[in-house]
Amino acid sequence: MVVTRMGDGSFITMTEEEVQRDVEEGMADAVKKGKVEPLGQDEIEHIVEICCRPQKFVSVEKGNELVLTYDSGTLKVTRLGIPIGMPQILQLYERAFSADSLELAYVHYSFKPIKMIVPEEQYAVAETSLVTTAPLLYGAMPNLPLYTQPDGPCPNAAELLPAGKIEEARRGQEEAAEYAIKDMVYVSSGVYEAGADGIDFDTTAAAGDAEFYATLKATEQLKAKYPEMAIEIGMAGEFVLGFHGQLEYDGVRLAGLYPHKQVKLAEKAGANVFGAVVNTNSSRTFPWNLGRAITFCKACTEAAEIPVHANVGMGVGGVPMVMTPPIDCVSRVSTAMAEVVKLDGL
Amino acid sequence: MDKQELINKIIESVIGGDESEAEALAKLALDQSFDPLEIINEGYVTGIKQVGDMFESGELFLPELIQSAGAVKKSTALLNDAIKGDTKKDKGKVVIATVEGDMHDIGKAIVSSLMVANGFEVLDLGRDVPIMDIITRAEEFGAQVIGTSALLTTTMVKQQELEKTLRKEGLRDKYKTIVGGAPVTVRWAEKIGADAFAENAGEGVNKIIDLIGG
């Protein structure tokens, strides 16, 4: 019997045949929803083999290692209650955790509150760049809802839509997107000029298509202003929610896009790295979720002309939805992403 | 226009979210003395089910869903008025909220809209709602179902608090409870004693229909 987990992290046992069935069913779900190509039989068998290995921690063969990037890096250590400054945290990431890029981030992790403290963040960026050598990104979320009532000036679509006020809801989102673009460009310019190598727009499109639109436009404007700036666009979920429903970028309707289509617009806007996300279904097994995540990420990688770094963490990429992602699953997802998808990074 | 042609046009108007056309067709159905219940079930309900399927598969989105729901609501109100006595059937009353401490209400807004589209009377309390407020408003509204959403592992415990408070107040048997949200699972629902778990908006509607026979 194979000891594995459900998507909520609880342990279960399955036979190898059941593991294979679930990997195939997860794949079929991705094929149906994303209209992407299915995996080949050898790829399915490879995923099953990774799931069925008896070791708690599994890894890749030598030569198949991936670039490792970390989002919201400085927040994750301070959350543990360790009294340590941001430059020192990033030195730990670089020298102890084998990170290939570093991300400096403020605790609010949203562009709107950060615009008030850009000079302080510039100081932290400058200080960190003096003591580290890996590429230094500054990361934050577009977080469109902060621009809508009661947290901001724009009408709140989540209240207007259920009341049937569709046009007002759409206008509110468009207005919020314009505010978000301004803040993203302002903050990103400030930290880039202080020495950051680039920007990570993290958890993009969490509030739907208007937020994705704002991110793409901000990316476009920043690349026009600073052609050498590195920009990573990391998604919030596998699917762009059509909360507006009519917004387009480069003639493509944003609502309803899956990773393999999202990445093409990220490229067009000027992004250098795309962070694909596939949501974990907590009611399904780990093999089901892994089969599904690999199918989406493979389609994304095949469509992409820029590097794709899949999100592998709590509740994404096939990793169960638990506070501390279990290493047996994280290592299996990472191995499958490297060996089956031939991904560029994690 | 024969009945089948009318039903097809109704389905088309619902999918297109054309409120005035849907309403005009309801009036036409009444003028031609077609059975209002049959027109509701075969036309408007079939149409909104197709809209729900298209929403689930990402072919149409929340604003379109709401337009379709609006078209169904107005038209079926007209037809409902023409249904006599005990054949008239209300789907049920649902109170829905995102629990206290949780600011995420996009998913809950989708669930709420789809329930309205399917004929439920829904009282949407919004986000960050204390448990006692949910219970008080459910009592005032005469709800049969209380639905709660939690998007954070730190706020899902409020769903458990709802179950405990309902039991403490002696109200648990009065309501059916349903829970949802990204970290919420069927196991969580079982653990806290909720009546049902829904993974998405469409499942939420079906589970509530199962719970109260709406």
mmCIF file of all heavy atoms in Angstrom, chain A residues 139-184:
data_model
loop_
_atom_site.group_PDB
_atom_site.id
_atom_site.type_symbol
_atom_site.label_atom_id
_atom_site.label_comp_id
_atom_site.label_asym_id
_atom_site.label_seq_id
_atom_site.Cartn_x
_atom_site.Cartn_y
_atom_site.Cartn_z
ATOM 1 N N GLY A 139 8.947 42.441 -3.652
ATOM 2 C CA GLY A 139 7.657 41.800 -3.917
ATOM 3 C C GLY A 139 6.498 42.417 -3.178
ATOM 4 O O GLY A 139 6.644 42.889 -2.047
ATOM 5 N N ALA A 140 5.350 42.441 -3.810
ATOM 6 C CA ALA A 140 4.099 42.881 -3.167
ATOM 7 C C ALA A 140 2.916 42.436 -4.035
ATOM 8 O O ALA A 140 3.101 42.045 -5.187
ATOM 9 C CB ALA A 140 4.082 44.392 -2.982
ATOM 10 N N MET A 141 1.743 42.516 -3.452
ATOM 11 C CA MET A 141 0.526 42.108 -4.176
ATOM 12 C C MET A 141 -0.191 43.347 -4.724
ATOM 13 O O MET A 141 -0.273 44.372 -4.028
ATOM 14 C CB MET A 141 -0.443 41.394 -3.237
ATOM 15 C CG MET A 141 0.127 40.180 -2.565
ATOM 16 S SD MET A 141 -1.127 39.289 -1.611
ATOM 17 C CE MET A 141 -1.558 40.460 -0.350
ATOM 18 N N PRO A 142 -0.779 43.252 -5.903
ATOM 19 C CA PRO A 142 -1.597 44.380 -6.411
ATOM 20 C C PRO A 142 -2.779 44.668 -5.485
ATOM 21 O O PRO A 142 -3.118 45.814 -5.247
ATOM 22 C CB PRO A 142 -2.077 43.894 -7.774
ATOM 23 C CG PRO A 142 -1.132 42.802 -8.164
ATOM 24 C CD PRO A 142 -0.670 42.175 -6.887
ATOM 25 N N ASN A 143 -3.407 43.635 -4.960
ATOM 26 C CA ASN A 143 -4.472 43.721 -3.943
ATOM 27 C C ASN A 143 -5.528 44.785 -4.251
ATOM 28 O O ASN A 143 -5.725 45.742 -3.493
ATOM 29 C CB ASN A 143 -3.844 43.977 -2.572
ATOM 30 C CG ASN A 143 -4.733 43.478 -1.448
ATOM 31 O OD1 ASN A 143 -5.916 43.172 -1.668
ATOM 32 N ND2 ASN A 143 -4.198 43.398 -0.251
ATOM 33 N N LEU A 144 -6.221 44.600 -5.349
ATOM 34 C CA LEU A 144 -7.213 45.572 -5.822
ATOM 35 C C LEU A 144 -8.300 45.930 -4.797
ATOM 36 O O LEU A 144 -8.735 47.087 -4.746
ATOM 37 C CB LEU A 144 -7.862 45.046 -7.115
ATOM 38 C CG LEU A 144 -8.387 46.097 -8.067
ATOM 39 C CD1 LEU A 144 -7.248 46.942 -8.608
ATOM 40 C CD2 LEU A 144 -9.146 45.446 -9.204
ATOM 41 N N PRO A 145 -8.767 44.976 -3.979
ATOM 42 C CA PRO A 145 -9.836 45.339 -3.033
ATOM 43 C C PRO A 145 -9.454 46.477 -2.078
ATOM 44 O O PRO A 145 -10.344 47.125 -1.525
ATOM 45 C CB PRO A 145 -10.089 44.038 -2.269
ATOM 46 C CG PRO A 145 -9.720 42.975 -3.248
ATOM 47 C CD PRO A 145 -8.530 43.526 -3.983
ATOM 48 N N LEU A 146 -8.165 46.736 -1.870
ATOM 49 C CA LEU A 146 -7.789 47.857 -0.994
ATOM 50 C C LEU A 146 -8.196 49.208 -1.578
ATOM 51 O O LEU A 146 -8.189 50.209 -0.873
ATOM 52 C CB LEU A 146 -6.275 47.862 -0.751
ATOM 53 C CG LEU A 146 -5.719 46.793 0.191
ATOM 54 C CD1 LEU A 146 -4.233 47.013 0.417
ATOM 55 C CD2 LEU A 146 -6.440 46.819 1.534
ATOM 56 N N TYR A 147 -8.531 49.228 -2.866
ATOM 57 C CA TYR A 147 -8.940 50.488 -3.493
ATOM 58 C C TYR A 147 -10.463 50.639 -3.515
ATOM 59 O O TYR A 147 -10.988 51.602 -4.037
ATOM 60 C CB TYR A 147 -8.381 50.575 -4.925
ATOM 61 C CG TYR A 147 -6.871 50.513 -4.935
ATOM 62 C CD1 TYR A 147 -6.209 49.298 -5.067
ATOM 63 C CD2 TYR A 147 -6.108 51.667 -4.758
ATOM 64 C CE1 TYR A 147 -4.826 49.230 -5.033
ATOM 65 C CE2 TYR A 147 -4.717 51.604 -4.719
ATOM 66 C CZ TYR A 147 -4.087 50.390 -4.860
ATOM 67 O OH TYR A 147 -2.711 50.330 -4.821
ATOM 68 N N THR A 148 -11.156 49.638 -2.988
ATOM 69 C CA THR A 148 -12.624 49.706 -3.017
ATOM 70 C C THR A 148 -13.179 49.872 -1.606
ATOM 71 O O THR A 148 -12.534 49.511 -0.622
ATOM 72 C CB THR A 148 -13.236 48.439 -3.672
ATOM 73 O OG1 THR A 148 -12.879 47.306 -2.888
ATOM 74 C CG2 THR A 148 -12.735 48.253 -5.086
ATOM 75 N N GLN A 149 -14.360 50.431 -1.533
ATOM 76 C CA GLN A 149 -14.978 50.707 -0.227
ATOM 77 C C GLN A 149 -15.182 49.400 0.574
ATOM 78 O O GLN A 149 -15.511 48.388 -0.048
ATOM 79 C CB GLN A 149 -16.339 51.381 -0.458
ATOM 80 C CG GLN A 149 -16.194 52.766 -1.084
ATOM 81 C CD GLN A 149 -17.466 53.239 -1.759
ATOM 82 O OE1 GLN A 149 -18.512 52.605 -1.670
ATOM 83 N NE2 GLN A 149 -17.378 54.352 -2.467
ATOM 84 N N PRO A 150 -14.963 49.368 1.859
ATOM 85 C CA PRO A 150 -14.694 50.497 2.752
ATOM 86 C C PRO A 150 -13.205 50.832 2.882
ATOM 87 O O PRO A 150 -12.871 51.735 3.631
ATOM 88 C CB PRO A 150 -15.240 49.997 4.089
ATOM 89 C CG PRO A 150 -14.991 48.531 4.050
ATOM 90 C CD PRO A 150 -15.164 48.115 2.622
ATOM 91 N N ASP A 151 -12.332 50.101 2.180
ATOM 92 C CA ASP A 151 -10.893 50.342 2.357
ATOM 93 C C ASP A 151 -10.341 51.404 1.409
ATOM 94 O O ASP A 151 -9.201 51.827 1.556
ATOM 95 C CB ASP A 151 -10.126 49.027 2.152
ATOM 96 C CG ASP A 151 -10.585 47.947 3.106
ATOM 97 O OD1 ASP A 151 -10.693 48.246 4.300
ATOM 98 O OD2 ASP A 151 -10.860 46.819 2.654
ATOM 99 N N GLY A 152 -11.104 51.786 0.411
ATOM 100 C CA GLY A 152 -10.619 52.750 -0.576
ATOM 101 C C GLY A 152 -11.763 53.553 -1.158
ATOM 102 O O GLY A 152 -12.915 53.416 -0.721
ATOM 103 N N PRO A 153 -11.475 54.366 -2.167
ATOM 104 C CA PRO A 153 -12.487 55.294 -2.671
ATOM 105 C C PRO A 153 -13.484 54.704 -3.696
ATOM 106 O O PRO A 153 -14.524 55.307 -3.941
ATOM 107 C CB PRO A 153 -11.625 56.369 -3.358
ATOM 108 C CG PRO A 153 -10.395 55.639 -3.793
ATOM 109 C CD PRO A 153 -10.144 54.580 -2.778
ATOM 110 N N CYS A 154 -13.172 53.582 -4.291
ATOM 111 C CA CYS A 154 -13.991 53.102 -5.428
ATOM 112 C C CYS A 154 -15.183 52.255 -4.954
ATOM 113 O O CYS A 154 -15.083 51.536 -3.955
ATOM 114 C CB CYS A 154 -13.134 52.267 -6.372
ATOM 115 S SG CYS A 154 -11.627 53.096 -6.842
ATOM 116 N N PRO A 155 -16.269 52.306 -5.715
ATOM 117 C CA PRO A 155 -17.422 51.445 -5.378
ATOM 118 C C PRO A 155 -17.015 49.969 -5.362
ATOM 119 O O PRO A 155 -16.191 49.546 -6.177
ATOM 120 C CB PRO A 155 -18.405 51.733 -6.523
ATOM 121 C CG PRO A 155 -17.987 53.051 -7.072
ATOM 122 C CD PRO A 155 -16.505 53.144 -6.896
ATOM 123 N N ASN A 156 -17.584 49.218 -4.441
ATOM 124 C CA ASN A 156 -17.188 47.826 -4.229
ATOM 125 C C ASN A 156 -18.056 46.870 -5.048
ATOM 126 O O ASN A 156 -19.252 46.712 -4.793
ATOM 127 C CB ASN A 156 -17.313 47.499 -2.737
ATOM 128 C CG ASN A 156 -16.731 46.146 -2.381
ATOM 129 O OD1 ASN A 156 -16.584 45.279 -3.247
ATOM 130 N ND2 ASN A 156 -16.388 45.973 -1.127
ATOM 131 N N ALA A 157 -17.416 46.218 -6.015
ATOM 132 C CA ALA A 157 -18.156 45.314 -6.908
ATOM 133 C C ALA A 157 -18.790 44.146 -6.159
ATOM 134 O O ALA A 157 -19.846 43.648 -6.558
ATOM 135 C CB ALA A 157 -17.224 44.799 -7.997
ATOM 136 N N ALA A 158 -18.150 43.715 -5.078
ATOM 137 C CA ALA A 158 -18.696 42.568 -4.338
ATOM 138 C C ALA A 158 -20.038 42.913 -3.696
ATOM 139 O O ALA A 158 -20.836 42.032 -3.387
ATOM 140 C CB ALA A 158 -17.712 42.105 -3.268
ATOM 141 N N GLU A 159 -20.278 44.201 -3.490
ATOM 142 C CA GLU A 159 -21.581 44.610 -2.959
ATOM 143 C C GLU A 159 -22.544 44.979 -4.091
ATOM 144 O O GLU A 159 -23.745 44.752 -4.004
ATOM 145 C CB GLU A 159 -21.390 45.810 -2.021
ATOM 146 C CG GLU A 159 -20.744 45.402 -0.695
ATOM 147 C CD GLU A 159 -20.238 46.580 0.117
ATOM 148 O OE1 GLU A 159 -20.484 47.744 -0.271
ATOM 149 O OE2 GLU A 159 -19.567 46.327 1.122
ATOM 150 N N LEU A 160 -21.982 45.574 -5.161
ATOM 151 C CA LEU A 160 -22.846 46.039 -6.253
ATOM 152 C C LEU A 160 -23.375 44.895 -7.123
ATOM 153 O O LEU A 160 -24.531 44.915 -7.542
ATOM 154 C CB LEU A 160 -22.071 47.023 -7.142
ATOM 155 C CG LEU A 160 -21.695 48.351 -6.480
ATOM 156 C CD1 LEU A 160 -20.705 49.116 -7.332
ATOM 157 C CD2 LEU A 160 -22.951 49.192 -6.244
ATOM 158 N N LEU A 161 -22.524 43.911 -7.387
ATOM 159 C CA LEU A 161 -22.958 42.826 -8.283
ATOM 160 C C LEU A 161 -24.168 42.055 -7.751
ATOM 161 O O LEU A 161 -25.146 41.875 -8.486
ATOM 162 C CB LEU A 161 -21.790 41.887 -8.588
ATOM 163 C CG LEU A 161 -20.775 42.401 -9.612
ATOM 164 C CD1 LEU A 161 -19.574 41.460 -9.710
ATOM 165 C CD2 LEU A 161 -21.398 42.567 -10.989
ATOM 166 N N PRO A 162 -24.129 41.611 -6.481
ATOM 167 C CA PRO A 162 -25.329 40.889 -6.011
ATOM 168 C C PRO A 162 -26.588 41.751 -6.034
ATOM 169 O O PRO A 162 -27.704 41.239 -6.079
ATOM 170 C CB PRO A 162 -24.966 40.504 -4.570
ATOM 171 C CG PRO A 162 -23.479 40.494 -4.534
ATOM 172 C CD PRO A 162 -23.066 41.581 -5.475
ATOM 173 N N ALA A 163 -26.390 43.094 -6.021
ATOM 174 C CA ALA A 163 -27.556 43.986 -6.092
ATOM 175 C C ALA A 163 -27.970 44.248 -7.536
ATOM 176 O O ALA A 163 -28.877 45.046 -7.794
ATOM 177 C CB ALA A 163 -27.225 45.301 -5.393
ATOM 178 N N GLY A 164 -27.284 43.606 -8.462
ATOM 179 C CA GLY A 164 -27.647 43.737 -9.884
ATOM 180 C C GLY A 164 -27.103 45.000 -10.538
ATOM 181 O O GLY A 164 -27.446 45.305 -11.683
ATOM 182 N N LYS A 165 -26.234 45.753 -9.835
ATOM 183 C CA LYS A 165 -25.690 47.000 -10.395
ATOM 184 C C LYS A 165 -24.398 46.684 -11.168
ATOM 185 O O LYS A 165 -23.279 46.961 -10.702
ATOM 186 C CB LYS A 165 -25.451 48.009 -9.273
ATOM 187 C CG LYS A 165 -26.742 48.419 -8.589
ATOM 188 C CD LYS A 165 -26.481 49.388 -7.460
ATOM 189 C CE LYS A 165 -27.808 49.775 -6.810
ATOM 190 N NZ LYS A 165 -27.618 50.608 -5.634
ATOM 191 N N ILE A 166 -24.599 46.110 -12.333
ATOM 192 C CA ILE A 166 -23.468 45.555 -13.069
ATOM 193 C C ILE A 166 -22.560 46.635 -13.657
ATOM 194 O O ILE A 166 -21.334 46.566 -13.512
ATOM 195 C CB ILE A 166 -23.993 44.598 -14.149
ATOM 196 C CG1 ILE A 166 -24.574 43.368 -13.438
ATOM 197 C CG2 ILE A 166 -22.894 44.166 -15.109
ATOM 198 C CD1 ILE A 166 -25.503 42.566 -14.248
ATOM 199 N N GLU A 167 -23.139 47.622 -14.286
ATOM 200 C CA GLU A 167 -22.305 48.666 -14.890
ATOM 201 C C GLU A 167 -21.537 49.441 -13.829
ATOM 202 O O GLU A 167 -20.357 49.752 -13.999
ATOM 203 C CB GLU A 167 -23.159 49.603 -15.754
ATOM 204 C CG GLU A 167 -23.463 49.026 -17.131
ATOM 205 C CD GLU A 167 -22.248 48.365 -17.809
ATOM 206 O OE1 GLU A 167 -21.215 49.036 -17.978
ATOM 207 O OE2 GLU A 167 -22.316 47.164 -18.147
ATOM 208 N N GLU A 168 -22.203 49.741 -12.708
ATOM 209 C CA GLU A 168 -21.526 50.454 -11.621
ATOM 210 C C GLU A 168 -20.366 49.603 -11.078
ATOM 211 O O GLU A 168 -19.287 50.120 -10.778
ATOM 212 C CB GLU A 168 -22.504 50.753 -10.476
ATOM 213 C CG GLU A 168 -23.598 51.749 -10.811
ATOM 214 C CD GLU A 168 -24.858 51.063 -11.327
ATOM 215 O OE1 GLU A 168 -24.759 50.023 -12.001
ATOM 216 O OE2 GLU A 168 -25.949 51.578 -11.046
ATOM 217 N N ALA A 169 -20.603 48.299 -10.965
ATOM 218 C CA ALA A 169 -19.560 47.399 -10.467
ATOM 219 C C ALA A 169 -18.369 47.387 -11.425
ATOM 220 O O ALA A 169 -17.204 47.403 -10.995
ATOM 221 C CB ALA A 169 -20.117 45.990 -10.310
ATOM 222 N N ARG A 170 -18.662 47.368 -12.706
ATOM 223 C CA ARG A 170 -17.562 47.355 -13.694
ATOM 224 C C ARG A 170 -16.769 48.657 -13.648
ATOM 225 O O ARG A 170 -15.537 48.657 -13.659
ATOM 226 C CB ARG A 170 -18.129 47.127 -15.100
ATOM 227 C CG ARG A 170 -18.506 45.674 -15.339
ATOM 228 C CD ARG A 170 -19.022 45.451 -16.737
ATOM 229 N NE ARG A 170 -19.157 44.022 -16.997
ATOM 230 C CZ ARG A 170 -20.118 43.489 -17.721
ATOM 231 N NH1 ARG A 170 -21.047 44.253 -18.275
ATOM 232 N NH2 ARG A 170 -20.151 42.191 -17.920
ATOM 233 N N ARG A 171 -17.481 49.771 -13.569
ATOM 234 C CA ARG A 171 -16.785 51.070 -13.526
ATOM 235 C C ARG A 171 -15.924 51.157 -12.259
ATOM 236 O O ARG A 171 -14.812 51.662 -12.286
ATOM 237 C CB ARG A 171 -17.785 52.239 -13.550
ATOM 238 C CG ARG A 171 -18.678 52.371 -14.782
ATOM 239 C CD ARG A 171 -17.912 52.693 -16.046
ATOM 240 N NE ARG A 171 -17.417 51.490 -16.714
ATOM 241 C CZ ARG A 171 -18.148 50.671 -17.482
ATOM 242 N NH1 ARG A 171 -19.407 50.906 -17.691
ATOM 243 N NH2 ARG A 171 -17.593 49.615 -18.047
ATOM 244 N N GLY A 172 -16.454 50.657 -11.146
ATOM 245 C CA GLY A 172 -15.702 50.669 -9.884
ATOM 246 C C GLY A 172 -14.401 49.896 -10.005
ATOM 247 O O GLY A 172 -13.352 50.330 -9.521
ATOM 248 N N GLN A 173 -14.457 48.762 -10.671
ATOM 249 C CA GLN A 173 -13.245 47.948 -10.841
ATOM 250 C C GLN A 173 -12.244 48.624 -11.778
ATOM 251 O O GLN A 173 -11.030 48.567 -11.562
ATOM 252 C CB GLN A 173 -13.616 46.582 -11.400
ATOM 253 C CG GLN A 173 -14.370 45.729 -10.399
ATOM 254 C CD GLN A 173 -14.773 44.402 -11.005
ATOM 255 O OE1 GLN A 173 -13.971 43.500 -11.169
ATOM 256 N NE2 GLN A 173 -16.032 44.285 -11.373
ATOM 257 N N GLU A 174 -12.757 49.272 -12.801
ATOM 258 C CA GLU A 174 -11.855 49.962 -13.734
ATOM 259 C C GLU A 174 -11.140 51.110 -13.026
ATOM 260 O O GLU A 174 -9.938 51.331 -13.213
ATOM 261 C CB GLU A 174 -12.651 50.487 -14.939
ATOM 262 C CG GLU A 174 -13.101 49.366 -15.865
ATOM 263 C CD GLU A 174 -14.220 49.798 -16.809
ATOM 264 O OE1 GLU A 174 -14.410 51.017 -17.010
ATOM 265 O OE2 GLU A 174 -14.914 48.910 -17.338
ATOM 266 N N GLU A 175 -11.916 51.829 -12.184
ATOM 267 C CA GLU A 175 -11.339 52.942 -11.430
ATOM 268 C C GLU A 175 -10.268 52.414 -10.459
ATOM 269 O O GLU A 175 -9.168 52.974 -10.356
ATOM 270 C CB GLU A 175 -12.478 53.613 -10.644
ATOM 271 C CG GLU A 175 -12.185 55.008 -10.179
ATOM 272 C CD GLU A 175 -13.320 55.529 -9.281
ATOM 273 O OE1 GLU A 175 -14.501 55.140 -9.471
ATOM 274 O OE2 GLU A 175 -13.006 56.294 -8.377
ATOM 275 N N ALA A 176 -10.594 51.324 -9.774
ATOM 276 C CA ALA A 176 -9.642 50.730 -8.817
ATOM 277 C C ALA A 176 -8.376 50.279 -9.542
ATOM 278 O O ALA A 176 -7.261 50.439 -9.031
ATOM 279 C CB ALA A 176 -10.292 49.550 -8.104
ATOM 280 N N ALA A 177 -8.533 49.732 -10.736
ATOM 281 C CA ALA A 177 -7.367 49.271 -11.506
ATOM 282 C C ALA A 177 -6.438 50.434 -11.822
ATOM 283 O O ALA A 177 -5.214 50.304 -11.736
ATOM 284 C CB ALA A 177 -7.822 48.580 -12.789
ATOM 285 N N GLU A 178 -7.006 51.586 -12.144
ATOM 286 C CA GLU A 178 -6.169 52.754 -12.460
ATOM 287 C C GLU A 178 -5.367 53.196 -11.228
ATOM 288 O O GLU A 178 -4.188 53.517 -11.334
ATOM 289 C CB GLU A 178 -7.023 53.916 -12.988
ATOM 290 C CG GLU A 178 -7.651 53.644 -14.357
ATOM 291 C CD GLU A 178 -6.634 53.199 -15.424
ATOM 292 O OE1 GLU A 178 -5.536 53.769 -15.473
ATOM 293 O OE2 GLU A 178 -6.955 52.267 -16.186
ATOM 294 N N TYR A 179 -6.010 53.206 -10.060
ATOM 295 C CA TYR A 179 -5.281 53.539 -8.825
ATOM 296 C C TYR A 179 -4.153 52.523 -8.584
ATOM 297 O O TYR A 179 -3.038 52.878 -8.197
ATOM 298 C CB TYR A 179 -6.224 53.505 -7.611
ATOM 299 C CG TYR A 179 -7.079 54.741 -7.441
ATOM 300 C CD1 TYR A 179 -8.455 54.671 -7.564
ATOM 301 C CD2 TYR A 179 -6.505 55.974 -7.121
ATOM 302 C CE1 TYR A 179 -9.256 55.799 -7.387
ATOM 303 C CE2 TYR A 179 -7.296 57.098 -6.949
ATOM 304 C CZ TYR A 179 -8.669 57.003 -7.086
ATOM 305 O OH TYR A 179 -9.447 58.119 -6.905
ATOM 306 N N ALA A 180 -4.477 51.249 -8.782
ATOM 307 C CA ALA A 180 -3.490 50.188 -8.521
ATOM 308 C C ALA A 180 -2.295 50.324 -9.460
ATOM 309 O O ALA A 180 -1.142 50.178 -9.032
ATOM 310 C CB ALA A 180 -4.147 48.816 -8.690
ATOM 311 N N ILE A 181 -2.556 50.623 -10.729
ATOM 312 C CA ILE A 181 -1.457 50.767 -11.698
ATOM 313 C C ILE A 181 -0.500 51.871 -11.224
ATOM 314 O O ILE A 181 0.714 51.700 -11.209
ATOM 315 C CB ILE A 181 -2.005 51.090 -13.110
ATOM 316 C CG1 ILE A 181 -2.795 49.891 -13.647
ATOM 317 C CG2 ILE A 181 -0.872 51.461 -14.073
ATOM 318 C CD1 ILE A 181 -3.653 50.204 -14.877
ATOM 319 N N LYS A 182 -1.089 52.998 -10.816
ATOM 320 C CA LYS A 182 -0.271 54.137 -10.361
ATOM 321 C C LYS A 182 0.631 53.721 -9.196
ATOM 322 O O LYS A 182 1.818 54.020 -9.172
ATOM 323 C CB LYS A 182 -1.207 55.256 -9.869
ATOM 324 C CG LYS A 182 -1.368 56.378 -10.846
ATOM 325 C CD LYS A 182 -2.123 57.515 -10.168
ATOM 326 C CE LYS A 182 -2.888 58.274 -11.233
ATOM 327 N NZ LYS A 182 -3.857 59.188 -10.678
ATOM 328 N N ASP A 183 0.043 53.038 -8.206
ATOM 329 C CA ASP A 183 0.823 52.643 -7.028
ATOM 330 C C ASP A 183 1.890 51.612 -7.378
ATOM 331 O O ASP A 183 3.011 51.661 -6.862
ATOM 332 C CB ASP A 183 -0.100 52.066 -5.937
ATOM 333 C CG ASP A 183 -0.949 53.154 -5.284
ATOM 334 O OD1 ASP A 183 -0.687 54.346 -5.561
ATOM 335 O OD2 ASP A 183 -1.857 52.801 -4.511
ATOM 336 N N MET A 184 1.539 50.671 -8.252
ATOM 337 C CA MET A 184 2.511 49.630 -8.623
ATOM 338 C C MET A 184 3.709 50.255 -9.342
ATOM 339 O O MET A 184 4.861 49.889 -9.100
ATOM 340 C CB MET A 184 1.827 48.571 -9.516
ATOM 341 C CG MET A 184 0.828 47.723 -8.743
ATOM 342 S SD MET A 184 -0.404 46.958 -9.806
ATOM 343 C CE MET A 184 0.454 45.512 -10.321
#
